[in-house]
Amino acid sequence: MKLLTIFRIVAFLEGLSYILLLFVGVPLKYLGNDVTLVKLLGMPHGFLFMAYIAFIIVLRFDTPWFKKHFILIALASVIPFGTFVVEHKLRKTIK
């Protein structure tokens, strides 16, 4: 698999885990006093977040699009739905 394809998969999964954690896990934790989902999603989300950041650092040196938009791509990882936007724009740019 190409590095960009792997990055797109990681970006999608990172965004999905963040959305589930933020909009399902956290409300269940504070409104339902149930920390199960936060514990279940926390570690995979953390791993995917670190992988996302590592990929953008590596791809910054190899891909002009990443070099040009590096800060915005990095900020997208902390904004809900941000990684989905990055993945979509990257898909349009590559084709």
Side-chain angles (χ1 to χ4, degrees):
M1 266 191 194
K2 291 175 56 175
L3 202 55
L4 287 174
T5 304
I6 297 170
F7 171 76
R8 287 182 49 217
I9 293 167
V10 168
F12 177 79
L13 292 175
E14 196 277 335
L16 183 63
S17 70
Y18 187 43
I19 295 301
L20 288 173
L21 192 59
L22 195 62
F23 293 112
V24 179
V26 172
L28 284 176
K29 178 181 178 180
Y30 290 108
L31 298 175
N33 293 323
D34 185 9
V35 296
T36 307
L37 199 55
V38 172
K39 287 184 178 182
L40 185 67
L41 291 174
M43 188 175 294
H45 169 69
F47 174 76
L48 289 165
F49 175 78
M50 290 187 300
Y52 180 88
I53 297 299
F55 268 105
I56 63 171
I57 290 170
V58 169
L59 288 169
R60 179 181 183 200
F61 297 108
D62 295 340
T63 311
W65 187 80
F66 278 82
K67 191 172 193 170
K68 182 178 179 183
H69 302 289
F70 179 75
I71 298 297
L72 293 175
I73 297 168
L75 285 175
S77 67
V78 295
I79 299 170
F81 302 100
T83 59
F84 298 124
V85 173
V86 168
E87 192 274 332
H88 177 72
K89 289 194 181 281
L90 178 61
R91 187 173 359 116
K92 284 174 51 179
T93 302
I94 291 173
K95 289 183 179 181

